[in-house]
């Protein structure tokens, strides 16, 4: 059994060896075939790369030859240009040499002529001296004396003729000056379109329905009292359909009350705290609108470079009036008139327009010192670095200052034209507003008084005092004293009711 197994094993081993050699022979053939294929592919790739390199080389060679040819062409062009310049330069040098030779010949000729002229001049001078000596001998005067006599004679004759000419001009100017001045003023007025602006003491506020009137009045009138106290405007709610009347002599107060009412009605919340908040915001909005009005006015008139504070004052002119004439409209009118008149007189129209616009800024200062408005306006313009001609024109337009520029009388005349035209001003309104302002100023002079409002056309004066500074008894005393002073110091129709309001507030916060 064992020999059979061994024989089988040997046979398997021999078979395995034979298989191994056979497999090795097959692998050798495959390796050889793969190597040959790789060599063939390598040859193909090699030939490919060689061909690509040759093509690249030929391409580069072509580009290089093209570049060389372009360079050669540029060099040839530059050489040709240089040769042309060289030829031109040579030609110019030849021309210059020829002209130099010609100039030398001309110079020699001139030198010869100059020598002849000098000789002739010497001869003439000698003859002149001989003649002067003969004249001096005949006249008995020296040349200097004769010359002085002639000069004196000519001076006297010139003075006589000049005085006669000056007198003729003065007489002619006197005869035509008044006529020419009237003609100039008429032409200026005719070329300016004017508007009649009449200032009122009331404004009408329109509402959608009469139901809103009850909400504005509030429970027991608390809303309307709060609105009047915050704005200083008398609010008249009567049977007039769909309208409420706002009465106050100050246009700014009326505008604040109108805008605040409009905002409250849109918002729908109307109560004292909300009223004070809205009035406060409205005052800030109106300040912004004043500045915008000043900027728009300056742009419309072509006046540039104004100081921001002067722009704000120009905007405030919209809410001020003089004898019923709106000051902003008046200032715009004076600016246009001044520019036209300055152009006719040959002066600077831009400078005249600037002075005309600013001439009444002394009427709208933040504080009101006891100075004429022209002098105050002059100081403000000087403070904000305006030109001396503008400053002088503002200060001199009512003769408070001496005029030292030609623009000053132009501004004065145009101010008079604007104010004197028919329908421009009303004395009654001005005196009425002045009386109401005096009423408020009188009450405001007492200690502890925070606000004063003249309402009902000056028939009532409301005085609001601070509760922490004034007691109830002192409020009564203030009312009596103000009434007595009004009787003694002021002139007024009918009677004036003085109402002193002392309101106590208690404020706390829940945190």
């Amino acid at each position: 059994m064992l020999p059979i197994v061994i024989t089988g094993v040997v046979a398997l081993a021999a078979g395995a060896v034979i298989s191994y050699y056979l497999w090795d022979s097959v692998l050798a053939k495959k390796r050889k075939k793969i190597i040959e294929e790789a060599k063939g592919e390598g040859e193909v790739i090699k030939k490919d790369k060689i061909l690509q390199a040759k093509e690249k080389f030929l391409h580069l060679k072509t580009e290089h030859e093209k570049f060389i040819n372009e360079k050669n062409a540029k060099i040839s062009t530059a050489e040709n240009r240089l040769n042309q310049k060289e030829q031109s330069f040579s030609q110019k040098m030849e021309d210059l040499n020829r002209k130099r030779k010609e100039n030398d010949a001309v110079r020699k000729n001139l030198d010869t002529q100059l020598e002849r002229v000098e000789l002739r001049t010497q001869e003439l001078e000698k003859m002149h001296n001989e003649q002067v000596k003969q004249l001096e001998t005949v006249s008995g005067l020296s040349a200097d004396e004769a010359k002085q006599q002639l000069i004196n004679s000519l001076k006297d004759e010139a003075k006589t003729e000049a005085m006669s000419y000056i007198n003729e001009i003065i007489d002619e100017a006197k005869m035509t000056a008044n006529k020419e001045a009237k003609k100039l003023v008429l032409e200026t007025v005719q070329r300016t379109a004017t508007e009649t602006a009449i200032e009122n003491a009331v404004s009408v506020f329109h509402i959608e329905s009469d139901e809103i009137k009850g909400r504005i009045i509030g429970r027991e009138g608390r809303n309307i009292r709060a609105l009047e106290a915050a704005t200083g405007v008398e609010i008249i709610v009567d049977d007039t359909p769909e309208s409420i009347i706002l009465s106050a002599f100050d246009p700014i107060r009326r505008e604040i009350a109108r805008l605040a009412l409009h905002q409250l009605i849109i918002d729908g919340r109307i109560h004292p705290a909300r009223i004070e908040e809205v009035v406060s915001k409205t005052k800030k909005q109106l300040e912004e609108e004043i500045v915008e009005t000043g900027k728009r006015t300056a742009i419309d008139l072509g006046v540039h470079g104004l100081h921001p504070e002067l722009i704000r004052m120009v905007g405030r002119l919209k809410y001020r009036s003089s004898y019923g004439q709106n000051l902003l409209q008046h200032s715009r009118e004076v600016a246009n008139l001044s520019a036209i008149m300055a152009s006719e007189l040959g002066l600077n129209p831009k400078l005249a327009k600037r002075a005309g616009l600013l001439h009444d800024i002394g009427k709208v200062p933040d504080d009101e010192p006891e100075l004429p408005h022209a002098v105050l306006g002059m100081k403000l313009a000087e403070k904000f670095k305006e030109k001396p001609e503008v400053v002088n024109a503002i200060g001199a337009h009512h003769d408070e200052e001496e005029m030292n520029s030609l623009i000053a009388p132009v501004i004065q005349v145009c101010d008079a034209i604007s104010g004197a035209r028919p329908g421009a001003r009303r004395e009654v309104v001005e005196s009425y507003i002045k009386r109401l302002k005096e009423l408020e100023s009188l009450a405001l002079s007492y200690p502890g008084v925070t606000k004063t409002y003249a309402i009902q056309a000056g028939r009532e004066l409301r005085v609001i005092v601070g509760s922490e500074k004034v007691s109830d008894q002192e409020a009564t005393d203030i009312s009596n004293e103000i009434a007595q002073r009004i009787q003694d110091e002021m002139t007024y129709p009918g009677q004036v009711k003085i109402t002193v309001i002392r309101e106590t507030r208690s404020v706390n916060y829940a945190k």
Side-chain angles (χ1 to χ4, degrees):
M1 186 68 183
L2 182 58
I4 294 171
V5 172
I6 292 171
T7 304
V9 171
V10 171
L12 288 173
V17 170
I18 291 168
S19 298
Y20 169 75
Y21 282 111
L22 289 173
W23 183 248
D24 185 47
S25 175
V26 172
L27 288 177
K29 288 179 181 179
K30 285 185 177 181
R31 282 198 298 271
K32 187 177 180 181
K33 185 178 179 181
I34 289 170
I35 290 169
E36 288 176 355
E37 289 177 355
K39 285 180 179 179
E41 290 178 359
E43 287 296 328
V44 172
I45 292 170
K46 180 181 177 183
K47 288 178 181 179
D48 247 356
K49 293 296 181 184
I50 290 169
L51 286 173
Q52 288 179 6
K54 285 181 179 180
E55 288 177 0
K56 184 71 174 177
F57 174 74
L58 289 173
H59 181 68
L60 292 173
K61 184 180 178 183
T62 304
E63 288 186 350
H64 180 67
E65 288 175 353
K66 184 180 178 182
F67 177 75
I68 293 298
N69 291 333
E70 289 178 355
K71 284 289 183 184
N72 290 335
K74 288 182 180 178
I75 290 170
S76 299
T77 306
E79 287 178 352
N80 292 334
R81 195 181 297 117
L82 187 61
N83 291 332
Q84 290 176 359
K85 287 185 177 179
E86 189 176 353
Q87 291 175 2
S88 175
F89 181 72
S90 300
Q91 184 66 35
K92 287 181 179 178
M93 285 297 294
E94 290 176 2
D95 293 343
L96 185 62
N97 290 330
R98 186 176 66 255
K99 287 181 180 178
R100 187 177 292 134
K101 290 178 182 178
E102 291 175 357
N103 289 337
D104 290 341
V106 171
R107 190 179 295 111
K108 288 180 181 178
N109 189 16
L110 287 174
D111 290 341
T112 305
Q113 290 181 2
L114 281 173
E115 289 176 358
R116 291 177 184 174
V117 169
E118 285 179 359
L119 290 172
R120 185 65 178 166
T121 304
Q122 290 174 2
E123 291 176 1
L124 289 172
E125 189 174 352
K126 186 176 179 181
M127 291 172 64
H128 175 71
N129 291 334
E130 290 176 356
Q131 290 177 356
V132 168
K133 286 180 181 178
Q134 289 177 4
L135 286 171
E136 289 178 353
T137 303
V138 172
S139 64
L141 293 173
S142 66
D144 292 337
E145 291 174 348
K147 190 186 296 183
Q148 191 61 41
Q149 285 186 3
L150 179 61
I151 290 172
N152 292 335
S153 174
L154 290 173
K155 276 185 178 179
D156 293 339
E157 186 178 350
K159 284 181 180 178
T160 303
E161 291 183 0
M163 288 300 296
S164 174
Y165 185 61
I166 289 170
N167 288 332
E168 287 179 6
I169 291 174
I170 291 173
D171 292 340
E172 185 180 355
K174 286 179 179 178
M175 291 173 63
T176 61
N178 194 30
K179 181 180 178 182
E180 290 297 323
K182 287 180 179 179
K183 180 181 177 183
L184 178 63
V185 170
L186 285 173
E187 286 180 354
T188 304
V189 172
Q190 288 171 353
R191 290 172 61 185
T192 305
T194 58
E195 296 179 8
T196 302
I198 299 176
E199 194 68 21
N200 296 317
V202 296
S203 297
V204 179
F205 181 78
H206 296 283
I207 56 178
E208 294 181 359
S209 65
D210 290 340
E211 295 177 2
I212 299 175
K213 291 183 179 180
R215 294 172 59 195
I216 291 172
I217 295 171
R219 186 181 300 171
E220 298 178 356
R222 62 173 190 169
N223 290 346
I224 197 169
R225 283 200 305 272
L227 196 55
E228 288 180 345
T231 60
V233 174
E234 183 182 5
I235 300 172
I236 303 170
V237 182
D238 54 15
D239 295 334
T240 307
E242 297 182 355
S243 64
I244 295 172
I245 296 174
L246 309 177
S247 175
F249 71 92
D250 189 343
I252 292 182
R253 291 185 193 170
R254 291 205 311 274
E255 184 67 10
I256 290 172
R258 187 186 69 80
L259 293 173
L261 260 178
H262 180 70
Q263 184 64 32
L264 286 167
I265 290 171
I266 290 175
D267 186 37
R269 294 176 293 166
I270 305 177
H271 53 81
R274 179 64 178 163
I275 287 170
E276 292 181 0
E277 179 185 350
V278 170
V279 169
S280 177
K281 288 181 179 178
T282 303
K283 287 179 180 178
K284 293 179 181 178
Q285 290 173 2
L286 192 62
E287 280 296 321
E288 293 174 0
E289 185 182 337
I290 285 171
V291 173
E292 188 61 31
T293 300
K295 289 180 181 178
R296 198 162 52 247
T297 301
I299 291 170
D300 290 345
L301 292 175
V303 177
H304 305 292
L306 283 177
H307 191 278
E309 193 61 28
L310 290 178
I311 289 176
R312 189 175 70 86
M313 289 182 180
V314 170
R316 292 185 67 180
L317 291 172
K318 179 181 178 182
Y319 299 99
R320 288 288 184 271
S321 62
S322 176
Y323 298 100
Q325 185 181 29
N326 182 269
L327 278 185
L328 181 60
Q329 184 62 33
H330 167 65
S331 297
R332 291 175 66 110
E333 190 175 323
V334 172
N336 288 322
L337 289 168
S338 301
I340 294 170
M341 191 172 289
S343 298
E344 293 292 334
L345 295 171
L347 303 176
N348 187 340
K350 290 185 177 179
L351 208 61
K353 186 177 283 189
R354 193 183 192 94
L357 177 63
L358 300 176
H359 80 283
D360 266 349
I361 57 171
K363 291 185 177 181
V364 287
D366 293 324
D367 52 351
E368 298 187 3
E370 295 298 326
L371 284 174
H373 76 272
V375 177
L376 182 58
M378 179 187 70
K379 291 183 179 296
L380 289 170
E382 189 174 11
K383 176 182 176 182
F384 297 119
K385 311 298 182 186
E386 285 295 319
K387 291 184 178 180
E389 295 92 337
V390 176
V391 173
N392 179 252
I394 295 171
H397 80 275
H398 283 313
D399 292 323
E400 279 89 357
E401 294 289 325
E402 183 179 353
M403 296 182 183
N404 55 24
S405 68
L406 292 174
I407 291 177
V410 172
I411 303 303
Q412 187 181 55
V413 169
C414 292
D415 178 48
I417 291 171
S418 175
R421 61 181 173 80
R425 295 186 172 184
R426 296 186 300 171
E427 186 77 28
V428 177
V429 174
E430 185 69 15
S431 60
Y432 160 71
I433 292 175
K434 185 177 179 182
R435 178 168 62 84
L436 297 190
K437 283 185 177 179
E438 288 177 358
L439 264 178
E440 290 187 350
S441 300
L442 185 147
L444 200 59
S445 64
Y446 284 86
V449 176
T450 57
K451 295 178 184 178
T452 58
Y453 299 123
I455 60 176
Q456 293 186 6
R459 291 190 296 274
E460 181 178 351
L461 178 64
R462 290 189 181 176
V463 183
I464 300 173
V465 297
S467 59
E468 69 281 357
K469 296 180 180 178
V470 178
S471 64
D472 289 339
Q473 183 58 43
E474 288 172 337
T476 303
D477 295 341
I478 288 173
S479 177
N480 294 332
E481 289 178 15
I482 292 174
Q484 189 62 42
R485 281 189 62 185
I486 291 173
Q487 290 178 11
D488 297 340
E489 300 175 11
M490 298 187 66
T491 303
Y492 54 92
Q495 63 181 12
V496 180
K497 176 183 177 183
I498 295 90
T499 305
V500 178
I501 301 171
R502 179 179 179 271
E503 183 181 33
T504 304
R505 294 191 183 186
S506 179
V507 181
N508 211 332
Y509 299 93
K511 298 181 180 178

